[in-house]
């Protein structure tokens, strides 16, 4: 193989073996995959200079590579790539910081994109060559460098552990050990600067300390427990004879915030520091307790304290455990947040109800069934649910809209029953056509998301049609011409889905016998003009039916004939 064979996908190679058997040669096939990889760039070197690290390496032996990828991590990895392992896998802790799109560029300055690297971090690097199809070479040797320790390195910005209730901020830093005393002769002093909040918009000088060895400052001018925000600090180093030398990286106190919810308080905190915090220990003092005790550990700045009692006060603080990767600095770094107290409160709405409908066309009634499915909510840990809703409710609110275009209006309430369906009967309707929705409400007025919407359309009830015969002989059966259920053959209530009709009935000579807008028609077989019974025979009609739909009133026309038998005349 050679460099031209390097590619991301492996080659597929088929071997065929044939034996010398008689009278038949037996044959076997075997497929294998062969991946051709590029050797690594050689002789990666790192040199710290100013606030960055300069990297250099030798050109890749594969000239068909298109550039290089630069990876960085904090601290040595001791990673030894396996024989065929290419690139720099995430499990090594390295992160890609730069892609160099020029094969002939063999150096890179890492200054954190102009923001400067952090003193106290041992920065380690690897470089790979990459190809047009995103194949990568094996990783280079690992090389590490750290910025010269010629400025202070902050290690603590913490609530004073000797008296957390006072809220004073303890600031500690490591003195510079590689200071160029020829360029910057003594004596020296530290200037401690502070800013409220995570920005640096209004820094104030709060202390000046003489000498390099005075590296502890207790800021009694602040109360972290009542400030309502974090404080961020910076230590400037000055030479009395020369002036300003340099500044530490800024570091903030741990600002702990609370988010109360139902039987739970969520804790979030936001330290902005130059070191790495590897874990956080959560301390709590519950109702009636005199001391704080640890209740949990988190690797992320977030914790949910559950199973609490609503309306009772709980107090918290966070203990952060961190470190720099550079040897010779204090380790571990222990910092404390402010104290904060909170009461859990039921602000979780009930989970979203599910509804369904049953329509009674003859009675002009709609029945709406509703339930909160237990598999969507959390009720004292008996349901399988998430963070944002629960099964606690006291009633359902029922909403109705005549059409899709009109707005929903509340029409009633129904008491909630745990894990049981309940029903609302919508009576005295002008029509069954309409839409329904439901919300669930708990005892504190928290309202759930709106349920699914169910709509009852024109076709929920029998289609309007007319018979072709009736007998107006006053015997109590079929005495009037009324609409019927064409499928079942029985009577219907057309008011369930018909607004009105425009019915005209006339005899064979075209003379009008009867007109009406009543959907029931109710023709008794008499001539509307003189109230005399019509003779037996065939009569004709044209009926424009105006139906109620979810989109408004629509219409269709019925034309046909009706035969009268048994007229009383």
């Amino acid at each position: 193989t050679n460099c031209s064979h390097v590619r991301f996908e492996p080659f597929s190679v088929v071997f065929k073996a044939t034996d010398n058997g008689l009278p038949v040669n037996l044959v076997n096939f075997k497929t294998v995959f062969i991946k051709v990889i590029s050797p690594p760039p050689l002789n990666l070197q790192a040199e710290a200079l100013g606030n960055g690290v300069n990297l250099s390496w030798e050109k890749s032996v594969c000239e068909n590579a298109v550039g290089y990828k630069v990876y960085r991590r904090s601290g040595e990895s001791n990673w030894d790539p396996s024989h065929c392992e290419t690139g720099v896998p995430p499990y090594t802790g390295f992160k890609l910081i730069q892609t160099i799109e020029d094969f002939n560029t063999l150096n890179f300055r890492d200054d954190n994109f102009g923001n400067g690297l952090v003193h106290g971090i041992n920065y380690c690097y690897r470089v790979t060559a990459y190809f047009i199809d995103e194949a990568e070479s094996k990783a280079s040797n690992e090389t590490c460098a750290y910025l010269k320790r010629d400025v202070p390195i902050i290690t603590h910005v913490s609530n004073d552990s000797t008296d957390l209730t006072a809220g004073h901020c303890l600031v500690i830093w490591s003195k510079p050990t590689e200071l160029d005393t020829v360029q910057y002769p003594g004596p020296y002093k530290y200037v401690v600067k502070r800013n409220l909040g995570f920005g640096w918009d209004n820094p104030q000088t709060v202390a000046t300390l003489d000498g390099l060895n005075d590296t502890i400052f207790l800021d009694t001018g602040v109360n972290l427990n009542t400030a309502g925000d974090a404080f961020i600090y910076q230590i400037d180093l000055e030479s009395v004879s020369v002036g300003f030398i340099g500044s530490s990286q800024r570091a903030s106190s741990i600002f702990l915030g609370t988010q109360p919810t139902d039987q739970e308080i969520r804790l979030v905190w936001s330290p902005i520091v130059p070191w790495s915090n590897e874990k956080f220990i959560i301390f709590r003092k519950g109702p009636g307790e005199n001391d704080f005790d640890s209740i949990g550990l988190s690797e992320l700045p977030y914790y949910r304290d559950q199973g609490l009692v609503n309306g009772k006060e709980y107090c918290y603080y966070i203990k952060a455990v961190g470190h720099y990767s550079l040897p010779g600095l204090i380790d571990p770094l222990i910092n404390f947040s402010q104290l904060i107290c909170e009461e859990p409160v039921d602000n979780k709405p009930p989970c979203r109800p599910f509804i369904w409908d049953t329509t009674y066309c003859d009675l002009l009634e709609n029945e709406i069934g509703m339930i909160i499915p237990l598999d969507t909510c959390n009720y004292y840990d008996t349901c399988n649910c998430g963070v944002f809703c629960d099964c606690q409710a006291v009633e359902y609110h029922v909403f109705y809209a005549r059409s899709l275009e009109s707005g929903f209006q509340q029409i009633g309430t129904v008491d909630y029953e745990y894990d049981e369906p309940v029903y609302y009967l919508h009576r005295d309707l002008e029509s069954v056509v309409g839409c329904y929705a439901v919300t669930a409400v708990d005892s504190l007025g928290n309202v759930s998301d709106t349920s699914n919407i169910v709509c009852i359309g024109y076709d929920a009830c029998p289609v309007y049609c007319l018979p072709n015969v009736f007998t107006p002989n006053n015997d109590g059966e079929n005495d009037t011409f009324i609409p019927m259920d064409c499928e079942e053959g029985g009577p219907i209530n057309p008011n369930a889905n018909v607004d009105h009709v425009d019915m005209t009935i006339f005899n064979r000579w075209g003379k009008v016998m009867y007109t009406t807008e009543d959907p029931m028609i109710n023709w008794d077989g008499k001539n509307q003009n003189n109230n005399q019974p019509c003779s037996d025979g065939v009569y004709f009609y044209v009926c424009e039916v105006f139906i109620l739909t979810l989109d408004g009133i629509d219409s269709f026309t019925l034309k046909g004939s009706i035969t009268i038998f048994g007229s009383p005349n």
Side-chain angles (χ1 to χ4, degrees):
T1 61
N2 56 53
C3 285
S4 66
H5 301 138
V6 174
R7 70 180 192 183
F8 185 79
E9 297 293 338
F11 293 89
S12 176
V13 181
V14 180
F15 290 88
K16 176 183 176 182
T18 306
D19 69 10
N20 295 323
L22 294 174
V24 177
N25 300 115
L26 299 182
V27 176
N28 196 16
F29 292 89
K30 174 86 173 176
T31 300
V32 298
F33 295 98
I34 299 175
K35 188 167 185 178
V36 180
I37 64 176
S38 166
L42 300 177
N43 196 26
L44 175 62
Q45 297 184 11
E47 179 184 9
L49 185 63
N51 65 350
V53 174
N54 293 333
L55 302 175
S56 63
W57 58 90
E58 294 182 7
K59 184 182 295 186
S60 170
V61 298
C62 288
E63 296 188 357
N64 55 323
V66 296
Y68 303 93
K69 293 187 177 183
V70 181
Y71 296 84
R72 181 185 72 197
R73 62 164 279 151
S74 173
E76 297 179 2
S77 69
N78 298 315
W79 170 54
D80 185 17
S82 62
H83 183 67
C84 291
E85 192 172 19
T86 61
V88 183
Y91 74 82
T92 63
F94 282 93
K95 293 183 179 180
L96 178 66
I97 62 169
Q98 186 67 32
T99 298
I100 299 173
E101 300 177 352
D102 182 1
F103 175 70
N104 295 310
T105 298
L106 305 176
N107 54 73
F108 172 69
R109 176 170 173 79
D110 179 19
D111 60 1
N112 194 25
F113 306 104
N115 297 314
L117 296 177
V118 175
H119 291 81
I121 302 295
N122 191 24
Y123 292 99
C124 296
Y125 300 87
R126 301 262 188 167
V127 172
T128 64
Y130 75 95
F131 297 78
I132 190 67
D133 65 346
E134 290 301 318
E136 284 189 73
S137 70
K138 294 191 69 173
S140 71
N141 60 296
E142 181 174 307
T143 185
C144 302
Y146 61 88
L147 300 187
K148 190 177 180 180
R149 289 183 56 182
D150 55 1
V151 295
I153 299 176
I154 292 183
T155 57
H156 297 78
V157 179
S158 171
N159 196 354
D160 183 8
S161 61
T162 61
D163 187 3
L164 291 174
T165 60
H168 299 324
C169 191
L170 179 65
V171 184
I172 304 176
W173 57 95
S174 176
K175 70 178 183 179
T177 58
E178 300 175 76
L179 181 61
D180 187 344
T181 57
V182 174
Q183 183 179 1
Y184 299 107
Y188 305 100
K189 64 179 180 179
Y190 298 114
V191 178
V192 182
K193 294 182 178 179
R194 178 187 72 204
N195 194 93
L196 177 62
F198 291 112
W200 198 246
D201 52 349
N202 187 30
Q204 298 177 341
T205 298
V206 294
T208 300
L209 307 178
D210 294 328
L212 291 180
N213 295 322
D214 192 356
T215 59
I216 300 176
F217 172 66
L218 180 62
D219 191 354
T220 58
V222 300
N223 186 339
L224 298 178
N225 299 326
T226 60
D229 206 341
F231 286 96
I232 191 166
Y233 289 83
Q234 175 181 290
I235 312 299
D236 290 347
L237 175 62
E238 295 183 2
S239 165
V240 174
S241 59
V242 176
F244 176 77
I245 298 174
S247 300
S248 70
Q249 291 284 331
R250 295 168 191 156
S252 77
S253 60
I254 303 171
F255 181 71
L256 174 59
T258 58
Q259 298 173 353
T261 186
D262 186 25
Q263 303 175 70
E264 176 183 341
I265 295 176
R266 301 172 199 163
L267 305 175
V268 292
W269 52 95
S270 305
I272 298 179
V273 293
W275 60 86
S276 298
N277 282 314
E278 62 184 29
K279 62 183 178 181
F280 303 94
I281 303 170
I282 297 90
F283 288 81
R284 181 188 72 194
K285 183 173 69 173
E289 297 175 351
N290 295 321
D291 299 314
F292 284 87
D293 194 8
S294 61
I295 60 168
L297 184 147
S298 175
E299 295 181 356
L300 299 173
Y302 177 80
Y303 185 80
R304 294 175 60 191
D305 190 15
Q306 299 175 293
L308 307 179
V309 179
N310 288 341
K312 297 294 185 179
E313 185 178 76
Y314 297 83
C315 297
Y316 301 88
Y317 70 84
I318 303 298
K319 176 183 177 180
V321 180
H323 62 84
Y324 284 104
S325 60
L326 184 65
L329 294 170
I330 186 172
D331 190 73
L333 305 179
I334 305 298
N335 287 272
F336 296 89
S337 75
Q338 89 279 18
L339 302 181
I340 190 170
C341 298
E342 189 61 86
E343 296 180 2
V345 60
D346 184 4
N347 56 9
K348 282 185 183 179
C351 288
R352 182 184 186 219
F354 174 79
I355 67 172
W356 61 96
D357 66 276
T358 303
T359 297
Y360 303 102
C361 298
D362 54 337
L363 300 174
L364 290 182
E365 295 176 350
N366 291 324
E367 186 177 69
I368 306 301
M370 60 206 77
I371 193 172
I372 296 178
L374 291 189
D375 60 356
T376 66
C377 62
N378 179 23
Y379 186 80
Y380 297 114
D381 294 329
T382 63
C383 313
N384 193 10
C385 179
V387 178
F388 303 109
C389 61
D390 57 36
C391 285
Q392 300 181 68
V394 294
E395 64 185 14
Y396 297 101
H397 290 182
V398 184
F399 297 85
Y400 169 74
R402 168 58 191 80
S403 69
L404 292 174
E405 295 181 355
S406 62
F408 279 92
Q409 301 292 329
Q410 184 176 344
I411 58 173
T413 61
V414 182
D415 290 340
Y416 170 79
E417 292 188 21
Y418 176 68
D419 196 25
E420 294 291 337
V422 295
Y423 300 89
Y424 176 81
L425 187 62
H426 195 189
R427 294 174 170 170
D428 302 324
L429 297 172
E430 295 181 358
S431 165
V432 300
V433 177
C435 296
Y436 295 87
V438 168
T439 59
V441 184
D442 66 16
S443 60
L444 296 180
N446 297 311
V447 181
S448 72
D449 289 341
T450 303
S451 70
N452 57 305
I453 296 174
V454 296
C455 291
I456 301 161
Y458 163 79
D459 54 358
C461 293
V463 177
Y464 190 89
C465 70
L466 299 172
N468 57 11
V469 64
F470 77 111
T471 58
N473 56 8
N474 298 320
D475 64 354
E477 295 184 5
N478 299 319
D479 285 334
T480 54
F481 179 34
I482 61 175
M484 61 179 290
D485 183 346
C486 294
E487 294 183 0
E488 301 294 334
I492 63 170
N493 184 351
N495 291 313
N497 53 8
V498 176
D499 182 73
H500 69 282
V501 299
D502 185 1
M503 164 66 85
T504 301
I505 302 174
F506 48 91
N507 63 16
R508 67 182 64 189
W509 294 283
K511 185 175 180 180
V512 174
M513 297 288 103
Y514 185 76
T515 63
T516 186
E517 292 186 353
D518 182 3
M520 287 298 295
I521 300 176
N522 285 316
W523 186 36
D524 57 3
K526 294 180 179 180
N527 186 334
Q528 196 176 48
N529 299 306
N530 55 23
N531 203 32
Q532 295 298 311
C534 296
S535 60
D536 290 356
V538 176
Y539 294 82
F540 302 91
Y541 63 82
V542 176
C543 184
E544 186 81 8
V545 183
F546 295 88
I547 60 174
L548 295 163
T549 74
L550 294 170
D551 295 317
I553 295 179
D554 200 355
S555 68
F556 61 87
T557 301
L558 294 176
K559 296 180 180 180
S561 63
I562 178 71
T563 300
I564 293 178
F565 286 116
S567 176
N569 62 343

